[in-house]
Amino acid sequence: MAVLLFCALALPAVAVEAPAGSSTAVTDPGGIKPVSPGEFVAKVNTFIADLNTAVSGLVLPLATFAMLVSIAVITVGFLVGHSNLKRYGWGGLFLACVGVFLYYGVPLIIGLVRALAYRLAG
């Protein structure tokens, strides 16, 4: 799951456009028009921006709800003395925190990957 998220968010940020003199025209018998790397990056960036706009109002309420449920499970686990309930509660709390940190950390991660790509490219 993390690899798919990385591919969807970070790889378009590190795509480097072809030099101005290079030809990227390819004929496709299937009728699909080829696009330049610049167009691809622009479309993916637009998709990511739209996805971020759509998800931004959902992440914090969902994470808050997951944390509250996890705290309730931990409390029930302590009251009943059931170690599995405590473990599930701590796991849920940990995953909710990781989700929030990942949501807020994605711009930083993309910036680091982009800076590394530009440094390696030239």
Side-chain angles (χ1 to χ4, degrees):
M1 184 70 170
V3 172
L4 292 175
L5 182 64
F6 174 77
C7 290
L9 298 177
L11 289 182
V14 300
V16 179
E17 291 187 32
S22 69
S23 172
T24 58
V26 177
T27 58
D28 184 20
I32 299 172
K33 178 186 165 272
V35 296
S36 70
E39 290 174 307
F40 176 74
V41 169
K43 288 185 183 280
V44 170
N45 284 339
T46 303
F47 171 74
I48 291 172
D50 293 344
L51 182 67
N52 186 26
T53 303
V55 172
S56 65
L58 184 67
V59 170
L60 287 179
L62 187 63
T64 304
F65 178 72
M67 286 180 189
L68 289 174
V69 169
S70 297
I71 290 171
V73 169
I74 291 170
T75 305
V76 170
F78 275 114
L79 291 175
V80 177
H82 201 274
S83 64
N84 280 341
L85 281 177
K86 291 187 275 189
R87 189 172 23 183
Y88 297 151
W90 285 113
L93 192 62
F94 175 74
L95 288 177
C97 289
V98 166
V100 170
F101 286 133
L102 185 64
Y103 174 72
Y104 284 120
V106 165
L108 175 66
I109 294 168
I110 290 175
L112 290 175
V113 170
R114 183 178 286 169
L116 180 65
Y118 286 139
R119 179 169 217 126
L120 291 176

